[in-house]
Amino acid sequence: MSARSDFQTWSFAIQQQMELALGAVLPPSDHLPQRLHEAMRYAVLGGGKRVRPLLVFAAGELVGAGAERLQYAACAVELIHAYSLVHDDMPCMDDDQLRRGKPTVHVQFDDATALLAGDALQTAAFEVLAGRTVCDEASDQVKMLKILATASGAAGMAGGQAIDLASVGQPLSLPELENMHILKTGALIRASVLLGSYCGEPLSSTERERLDRFAKLVGLAFQVVDDILDVEADTATLGKTAGKDAAHDKPTYVSLLGLKQAKQRAAELEAEALDCLSSFGERAQRLRELAHFIVHRAF
């Protein structure tokens, strides 16, 4: 079996496992309040590449973590990610009509239901992470909760989105743009890697710093490629509205650097990220493969 097909087989298996796991942790759609639960399930199930859960599992493989532990940590991250998409798509934010190839939650349901669904998905993430044993030490599980909370809040994803909204039509320097995306996109990607790393054998402080550095670089690379795809790919391929960044006059890596240099920046970030994994040997192979997938994905 080739390395490429092996990675595809591995990632597909985890995507299937996550669909079942997420379906199990979400409230059934026939339980009251039914419309809210329908919207939550609509937002989470049946779509998405599950990049963040894949990162949880890849980091977990590095530390020899069990699949059941990893799936619950991955569920928590994916529920946070789904909530952020629901809220980001709303009229008061990016006002988008399409997500994962289907109408956004506020279009399919209504604004109020979308707002509540996002709120409920956020709290469900912490319920999942707090309610299952996902690591050996209770103190480490508390650290995991703090990592996810920090990545989701004003010092992470929410703060990055606030900066993004305030930056529309404003010129940003490369450091300012990267700081925004370290928070908006990178924080949850970093949390995914760190959460997976707590589910198995302990790492040294140096090893964890290297893993965190890898995750930060991959998070930046993810956003650079997102900006490139917003220019190069079409709506049908992306499953969301193409070209919306330029239409909304948002600062992006492409608008700042140009398409060629943005691609070069993504390649540089990938190389730096892979260098962080050099001391881990074969244990980090899935993380290497994911870094390559993130930078070279076409959708």
Side-chain angles (χ1 to χ4, degrees), residues 169-237:
Q170 303 295 319
L172 295 183
S173 66
L174 182 59
E176 289 172 331
L177 185 65
E178 293 198 333
N179 179 64
M180 177 176 78
H181 288 305
I182 284 170
L183 301 179
K184 182 183 176 183
T185 305
L188 199 56
I189 286 176
R190 291 173 75 187
S192 302
V193 173
L194 291 177
L195 261 59
S197 76
Y198 273 103
C199 293
E201 295 297 319
L203 294 172
S204 69
S205 58
T206 300
E207 288 175 322
R208 202 172 297 284
E209 285 170 9
R210 288 175 183 160
L211 200 58
D212 188 34
R213 174 69 177 163
F214 162 83
K216 178 181 177 181
L217 292 164
V218 166
L220 282 174
F222 186 97
Q223 186 59 51
V224 176
V225 175
D226 244 25
D227 289 353
I228 293 168
L229 291 174
D230 189 65
V231 173
E232 291 195 329
D234 58 27
T235 297
T237 303

Side-chain angles (χ1 to χ4, degrees), residues 13-266:
I14 289 172
Q15 288 162 347
Q16 295 298 105
Q17 179 180 348
M18 289 305 303
E19 187 75 9
L20 294 173
L22 288 162
V25 301
L26 286 165
S29 57
D30 59 353
H31 286 197
L32 289 173
Q34 293 167 324
R35 186 171 174 81
L36 173 61
H37 293 160
E38 288 172 6
M40 292 169 68
R41 298 181 74 87
Y42 179 88
V44 175
L45 301 176
K49 296 179 289 294
R50 311 296 187 204
V51 170
R52 290 152 192 82
L54 288 170
L55 285 166
V56 173
F57 273 83
E61 191 167 297
L62 187 146
V63 295
E68 185 174 3
R69 288 182 172 189
L70 292 169
Q71 80 173 11
Y72 289 123
C75 279
V77 172
E78 190 68 3
L79 291 172
I80 291 289
H81 177 55
Y83 121 72
S84 74
L85 298 181
V86 173
H87 281 189
D88 286 359
D89 288 337
M90 291 185 67
C92 60
M93 295 280 197
D94 291 345
D95 193 14
D96 216 330
Q97 308 297 302
L98 194 68
R99 174 70 66 177
R100 293 175 174 173
K102 61 185 183 181
T104 48
V105 177
H106 71 275
V107 172
Q108 183 71 15
F109 294 86
D110 55 69
D111 288 5
T113 301
L115 181 65
L116 290 171
D119 291 344
L121 289 170
Q122 180 180 194
T123 56
F126 291 100
E127 183 180 0
V128 169
L129 192 56
R132 277 83 172 178
T133 300
V134 294
C135 58
D136 292 331
E137 300 293 333
S139 59
D140 283 340
Q141 193 149 341
V142 173
K143 289 178 185 176
M144 292 171 73
L145 287 163
K146 183 178 180 182
I147 287 168
L148 188 59
T150 302
S152 307
M157 188 175 60
Q161 176 71 353
I163 295 171
D164 190 21
L165 291 170
S167 300
V168 172
Q170 303 295 319
L172 295 183
S173 66
L174 182 59
E176 289 172 331
L177 185 65
E178 293 198 333
N179 179 64
M180 177 176 78
H181 288 305
I182 284 170
L183 301 179
K184 182 183 176 183
T185 305
L188 199 56
I189 286 176
R190 291 173 75 187
S192 302
V193 173
L194 291 177
L195 261 59
S197 76
Y198 273 103
C199 293
E201 295 297 319
L203 294 172
S204 69
S205 58
T206 300
E207 288 175 322
R208 202 172 297 284
E209 285 170 9
R210 288 175 183 160
L211 200 58
D212 188 34
R213 174 69 177 163
F214 162 83
K216 178 181 177 181
L217 292 164
V218 166
L220 282 174
F222 186 97
Q223 186 59 51
V224 176
V225 175
D226 244 25
D227 289 353
I228 293 168
L229 291 174
D230 189 65
V231 173
E232 291 195 329
D234 58 27
T235 297
T237 303
L238 291 175
K240 59 183 180 180
T241 306
K244 67 176 185 178
D245 290 338
H248 293 168
D249 199 19
K250 284 192 171 187
T252 69
Y253 288 95
V254 174
S255 67
L256 181 62
L257 301 176
L259 196 55
K260 182 178 179 180
Q261 282 191 290
K263 290 180 179 181
Q264 183 179 337
R265 180 60 179 151

